[in-house]
Amino acid sequence: MELVKGRPADLGGRLPKEVRVYDFLDKLGIDYGRVDHEVAMTMEDCEAIDRVLGAPTCKNLFLCNRQQTEFYVLLMPGDKPFKTKDLSAQINSSRLSFGTHEHMEALLDITPGSLTVLGLMNDREGKVKLLIDEDVVKTEYIGCHPCINTSTLKFTVKDMMEKIIPALGHEPVFVKL
């Protein structure tokens, strides 16, 4: 694995949703690095990638309320434990659970293991709310997948907060986990 700058020179074999991410970041003028790697399904898989990136990979969780009428993408540090009860109280929601892969694919065009804040670019109807643990914005850089878990991107938290999230059209709600 090696950290390279920007989009792949050859997009052959890349999924359209991944290419859309590169187009989106390039249009915004975001400076980003990229590491291509084997499938990463767990935070443990991401540890070696983090060392190459020089940035922590953000843990991204797809959540929903009990009725499956409210959906959330939660960004949090990879090493932080998650307790649904604590988060539910902060966002005034009924008990939260993990959303189904069917909802994730229908709403964000993302499969399990590839969830990322960048998937919100596919939420054209604004049905998914963005939640960010306050510790995520305390680092200089962040790592996340480009809607596919065989690559990981690195960009500044500042760019994420000031350019990427506003362009996604999802106002973040900050939480403390």
Side-chain angles (χ1 to χ4, degrees):
M1 290 186 294
E2 72 175 294
L3 180 63
V4 295
K5 185 174 170 74
R7 70 171 47 230
D10 179 9
L11 295 174
R14 304 280 177 160
L15 295 175
K17 60 185 164 188
E18 179 182 3
V19 175
R20 284 193 309 268
V21 168
Y22 301 133
D23 292 344
F24 175 74
L25 294 175
D26 292 347
K27 181 179 176 187
L28 293 175
I30 304 295
D31 184 34
Y32 60 97
R34 187 189 82 256
V35 173
D36 293 329
H37 48 76
E38 297 296 318
V39 171
M41 290 296 290
T42 66
M43 291 310 296
E44 290 76 25
D45 294 340
C46 292
E47 288 176 8
I49 299 164
D50 290 357
R51 286 191 294 276
V52 175
L53 281 178
T57 301
C58 190
K59 184 189 299 184
N60 302 276
L61 302 178
F62 184 66
L63 306 167
C64 66
N65 63 359
R66 182 184 310 233
Q67 301 80 10
Q68 296 186 2
T69 57
E70 299 286 329
F71 298 92
Y72 307 89
V73 169
L74 170 65
L75 279 61
M76 62 184 287
D79 59 352
K80 203 172 214 188
F82 173 65
K83 295 178 182 154
T84 58
K85 181 181 175 186
D86 296 341
L87 180 59
S88 296
Q90 289 181 59
I91 63 171
N92 298 318
S93 175
S94 64
R95 195 176 124 251
L96 294 172
S97 63
F98 291 100
T100 66
H101 71 273
E102 292 89 359
H103 280 121
M104 187 186 310
E105 289 182 43
L107 297 170
L108 300 174
D109 190 24
I110 293 183
T111 55
S114 300
L115 185 62
T116 169
V117 66
L118 297 168
L120 291 170
M121 66 187 283
N122 300 317
D123 179 27
R124 307 229 187 277
E125 296 178 28
K127 292 186 176 184
V128 182
K129 295 179 177 84
L130 175 59
L131 307 174
I132 302 175
D133 180 85
E134 63 184 15
D135 288 338
V136 167
V137 297
K138 293 179 180 176
T139 61
E140 184 176 359
Y141 291 97
I142 190 166
C144 70
H145 298 308
C147 296
I148 189 72
N149 61 357
T150 53
S151 293
T152 304
L153 305 179
K154 171 187 176 179
F155 43 78
T156 66
V157 170
K158 181 178 179 179
D159 278 347
M160 180 180 75
M161 297 306 301
E162 294 178 5
K163 295 178 182 178
I164 294 170
I165 291 175
L168 293 170
H170 287 71
E171 187 69 31
V173 173
F174 289 93
V175 296
K176 182 177 177 134
L177 301 174

